[in-house]
Amino acid sequence: MKIDSIILRELSMSLVHPFRTSFGETKERRVLLVEVRSEGLSGWGECTAGEHPHFSEESTDTAWITILQELVPLLTAVEEPSGGKCSDIFRVVRGHRMAKAAVENALWDLEAQISQVPLYELLGGTRTTLACGVSIGIQPSLEKLMDKVDTAIGQGYQRIKLKCQPGWDVEMFSAVRERWPEILLSCDANSAYRLRDADHLVSFDQFKLLMIEQPLWADDFYFHAMLQHRLDTAICLDESIRNRRDALAAIEMESCRIINVKLGRVGGFSEAIAIHNATLERGIPVWCGGMLESGIGRSHNIAMSTLENFSLPGDVSASSRYWKDDIIEPEVTVTAKGEIHVPNTPGRGFEVRTDLVERLTVRRQEIKALALV
Ligand code: OSB
Ligand code: MG
């Protein structure tokens, strides 16, 4: 493919409800989109970096600069770029995986359109229906939380994940478990605990959680392994897993029994597929995490979740849980059984609402390929 131009946009999008984790609250998303144009077609990628470097070292601003100053020049210096070549092309840039993923995924998105095949097929996916779960943020009160859980169960969601932190855990799990003894329930601490909390974390076993996501440090395997040996409940790693090698180390060390795969966190589709294949081979189930994405990132999460080993319900839920108006058409919907039907049309399967994208854009930069050679 020959790239004609690359357009970076920052969109300002308000979440329908603020989302609170152990590291902070988000209401206004600053969504960075990458559009790669080639011969009349547009591939889109979304950068999942947060507004602040709280989940990872990256932010909307660091990703903007990295894409513009480092990744785009590397990409346009290559004769025949493709999504699959991006990890090689971008290798000289250390880290910045969310910035890299935004560009790489736009290329895969474009390739699916050029080849006239659904993106999920290009990735090697086979699932046509996806099991959906929800991630419910830390709430101002137990009553509010019970309402949120009740609504999500009523909507058919197959697994409820509760964000937790010290002071918002045992009592909260008790209340939810008492009212819903049988539901598939998990929790996500986003690194809010320390090893001195081990006894406390072991007490979570009584709630029969499907998993405890990232209880300890965001860069740790060793202490998670120590904790996993004491827990009946499976640990799931999110923040700690940056690539296939991390997944192998975590499995080898028994730091976790489940892995959350996020496209941005691992640097794009190629590395996500590599993690998928390595975990499939070793019998470790994975699921697709979410980063409060707009429809573009959401459609890519759907495509990735069609891979065979995405065997647990993901955090990929309906557009309407996040946005009054999503920037794709149709928006992502979930059936009464808590399923997403994967579109079988060429490309990402959801059109980009370019008019709405323009209206939400607060910063835009276009790089024409001519200016780069
Ligand atoms: O750890 O999974 C996480 C949102 C922002 C940052 C980190 C996480 C999350 C979520 C929300 O859990 C998932 C979603 O609904 O998109
Ligand atoms: Mg998480």
Side-chain angles (χ1 to χ4, degrees), residues 21 23 55 135 161 163 187-191 213-214 236-239 260 262 265 287 289-291 315:
T21 68
F23 58 77
F55 174 82
S135 173
K161 164 172 134 185
K163 290 289 191 179
C187 72
D188 186 358
N190 290 110
S191 304
E213 191 177 335
Q214 199 72 39
C236 170
L237 289 180
D238 174 354
E239 284 90 329
N260 165 333
K262 286 180 178 165
R265 199 194 68 225
W287 54 279
M291 290 293 285
D315 275 349

